[in-house]
Amino acid sequence: MAAPATEHVRNIVLVGQDGAGKTSLAEAMLHVSGRTPRMGTTHDGKSYLDYDAEEIRRKFTISTSIAPVPYKDYKINLLDTSGHPDFVGDTIATMNAAETALFVVDAVTGPQVMTTKLWHEAENLRLSRAVFINHIDRENADFDISMAQLHARFGSRLGAVAIPIGVDKDFAGVVDILRMKARYFDKDGGAERVEDIPAEYVDAAENARDKLCDLVAEADDELMMKYLEGEDRLTQEELESLLSKAITQEMIIPVFVGSTIIEQGIKGVMEDICTYFPHPRDHGAFSLADGADMHIDELGQPAGFVFKTVADPFVGRLSYVKVLSGVLEPGQELMNVRTGKRERIGHLYVMMGKEAVDVKSAKAGDIIVIPKLVDTRLGDTLSVTGTLEVAPLPLPEPQYPVAIEAVNKKEEDKLGAFLARAAENDPTLRIERNEETHQTVVTAMGDEQVNTLMIRLKEQAKVEARLVAVRIPYRETITKTARAQGRHKKQTGGSGQFGDCWLRLEPNSGAGYEFIDEIVGGKIPRSYIPAVDKGVRDAMEEGVLAGYPVVDVKCAVYDGSYHSVDSNEMAFKTAARIGFRAACEQAGMVLLEPMASLEVCVPEEYAGAVMGDVSTRRGRIVGTDSNDAGDTVIIVRVPYAEVIGYTRDLRALSHGAGEYSIVVEGYEQAPANVSAKLVEEYRASRA
């Protein structure tokens, strides 16, 4: 398979809400182009692109697949992404490898929450955008309403380049506004029919053409002035010559229409992608880590960046690479700037779903897959010199923590190894071993991501694991001064153990632990004072009230006694533990709960529900604001235990439209009912 020239490559990322038909659009384009012998379908598990067992079971895309669609002498790299919020990290990473984002919108439900979120991501990445209104043949589909919704949500630069001939069950084909022809496709194998526009659609087509010309004319100042002075609308030649520039410069967002299931409107999309959509050299520069910019360069030294990695059970690790410059070929050695190590390219693959085809080279602007790179991860840059580094990918931070443990403790190492690999492949998984709570904590985007991880853990690593509650890092402290004696005496026939110390505890709010030696007259030898300090520290770590570490205590040892034979460091360490616990019983111990600073961003219509919910969680609203998009930003101080699983709740409150960030900072005294419950649980566990 010959490597296509850069100007004949189109990298199109398919984005939008789950269920809108992104995968179906890719499958239809593969079939119409002749790349596949049949139309792949997700509902029956016979999709070429949604081939993963979990994708087949759930009937939606989890991870990006590539569909290289041949059209004439062009190669369209379709990047089919997930529209589920739990897997948005993979989607955003993939968007960095494309020049155009093609949004797939359902003709009945219109643009939804994920469509809007990903639209803003595309804007931030300065991607050209287009829209495909799908399922126009469904009951209650309405093209005019869909266009009105798109204009209301995304502005006036959207212009129809196709309108439907009929809707609902009467949908038969599309009017191509660019060429002013009617197009009908026979999915049973007949050639596409191109005919004159039916009389009843001529007026609608003329109106759409006028709006299209209005938008495109802005790409040329001279033509725009003529246009404003009342001259006739753009000629066919002028329209076609300016459309590519207008799309690349985001002056127009073309809107297509059709039905992927019956393959109507598909060929026109493919034709326009190749004719008018930007190729890799037309796209804006890539931002580098040092602040410089880089454009696609076919003549430069070989380089590429990795926007996705997967662990294939048959061929090992696969690295999905956007070629930034030069030509990649098997046998080359490229340096990874992150590791400083060289990686050898053994093979180059063009992927079509799970099917891998060996190729001899890949030119700048293309997307290629390299197998078995030893230490290359998502976001890495590979180059000849090792000095080139693409800026870090703008990925969302996961906020949903769960604790995981192996059912069989002997499998903890296997569990850890699997989780480490999963975090390398998934840009929005964080794995942390919390030594204080002795838990392995997985922080993810939401339940579906966690559930998928658990199923793959069982099926791929053969490890049985379970999810347990994340242990909240409470603290204990004292509220008043107290004194107590710690005395340890043990006689076993030979040398015994003897340690005796008097301790005074005082609150030390916000200042941590402080130990003071007030011994005079040698009542406790100096060599045993560090043992007293260590005994107190150990007792603080164990906790007294509910098993949580004790903090902010000033401890003074001011009296005691010793035995010339039986006293030793261990004895005084034990005595100090006894004395500390005894003093705590008189020192007004309280439980402290970790507090979180929570910032919630929601559309205004959901702000009231969110603020009402905050009050039920013992939260205090610190302030409210609005952002550039007009959403309400609510700043809250709230106990961390009340919002540790807030992802699920906020999605329910805001119908998926809300976002939040959370930072755990500071402690406050827990209310009596919370303390009583934790103390009771601690005593029950010890019993």
Side-chain angles (χ1 to χ4, degrees), residues 30-254:
L30 284 168
H31 184 223
V32 170
S33 71
R35 179 65 178 80
T36 55
R38 59 170 176 80
M39 167 78 176
T41 50
T42 56
H43 68 274
D44 58 2
K46 294 182 179 179
S47 168
Y48 290 99
L49 302 177
D50 283 353
Y51 57 87
D52 180 83
E54 275 303 287
E55 292 177 321
I56 293 171
R57 187 176 71 84
R58 295 169 187 262
K59 293 182 172 57
F60 66 76
T61 302
I62 292 175
S63 180
T64 297
S65 285
I66 298 183
V69 178
Y71 187 77
K72 297 180 179 177
D73 55 349
Y74 290 84
K75 179 189 178 189
I76 306 172
N77 288 318
L78 291 179
L79 303 165
D80 179 33
T81 66
S82 177
H84 194 287
D86 282 10
F87 306 104
V88 70
D90 185 64
T91 298
I92 293 173
T94 300
M95 291 172 76
N96 282 264
E99 288 78 53
T100 302
L102 178 52
F103 286 81
V104 184
V105 173
D106 186 89
V108 178
T109 59
Q112 297 185 35
V113 170
M114 279 302 292
T115 309
T116 303
K117 288 184 178 181
L118 293 171
W119 189 277
H120 296 318
E121 292 292 343
E123 284 182 321
N124 293 336
L125 293 170
R126 297 308 304 269
L127 296 182
S128 299
R129 276 154 284 150
V131 178
F132 182 81
I133 298 176
N134 193 20
H135 303 147
I136 198 68
D137 56 335
R138 284 188 176 174
E139 186 178 358
N140 297 322
D142 191 305
F143 179 74
D144 292 334
I145 290 178
S146 295
M147 284 299 295
Q149 291 172 331
L150 288 167
H151 282 133
R153 187 75 61 90
F154 304 127
S156 60
R157 293 202 173 274
L158 290 95
V161 294
I163 62 174
I165 299 173
V167 293
D168 203 323
K169 63 181 181 298
D170 297 323
F171 175 62
V174 300
V175 174
D176 183 338
I177 300 301
L178 293 171
R179 299 162 186 87
M180 292 302 279
K181 290 290 184 180
R183 305 177 73 156
Y184 308 88
F185 185 76
D186 181 0
K187 68 173 295 186
D188 296 322
E192 182 186 45
R193 293 181 290 118
V194 180
E195 302 175 359
D196 290 337
I197 301 171
E200 63 269 32
Y201 290 96
V202 169
D203 287 345
E206 292 288 349
N207 288 334
R209 175 87 172 194
D210 287 341
K211 292 176 183 176
L212 190 61
C213 289
D214 289 345
L215 292 168
V216 172
E218 295 185 32
D220 185 282
D221 291 341
E222 186 176 338
L223 276 178
M224 189 62 189
M225 289 305 298
K226 292 180 180 179
Y227 212 67
L228 293 174
E229 289 168 2
E231 291 194 12
D232 291 339
R233 70 184 183 192
L234 301 182
T235 65
Q236 184 69 22
E237 182 180 358
E238 290 170 335
L239 177 61
E240 291 187 5
S241 66
L242 287 175
L243 184 58
S244 181
K245 180 181 178 181
I247 293 173
T248 300
Q249 296 182 357
E250 304 169 60
M251 294 179 175
I252 180 174
I253 298 167

Side-chain angles (χ1 to χ4, degrees), residues 478 480-486 501-506 518 554-556 558-559 578-587:
I478 61 175
K480 57 186 180 181
T481 300
R483 294 174 173 81
Q485 180 185 25
C501 59
W502 280 86
L503 303 178
R504 183 181 69 252
L505 305 185
E506 301 174 26
E518 295 182 357
K554 183 185 292 185
C555 175
Y558 64 91
D559 201 356
I578 295 170
F580 180 82
R581 297 183 71 88
C584 281
E585 292 178 2
Q586 310 166 42

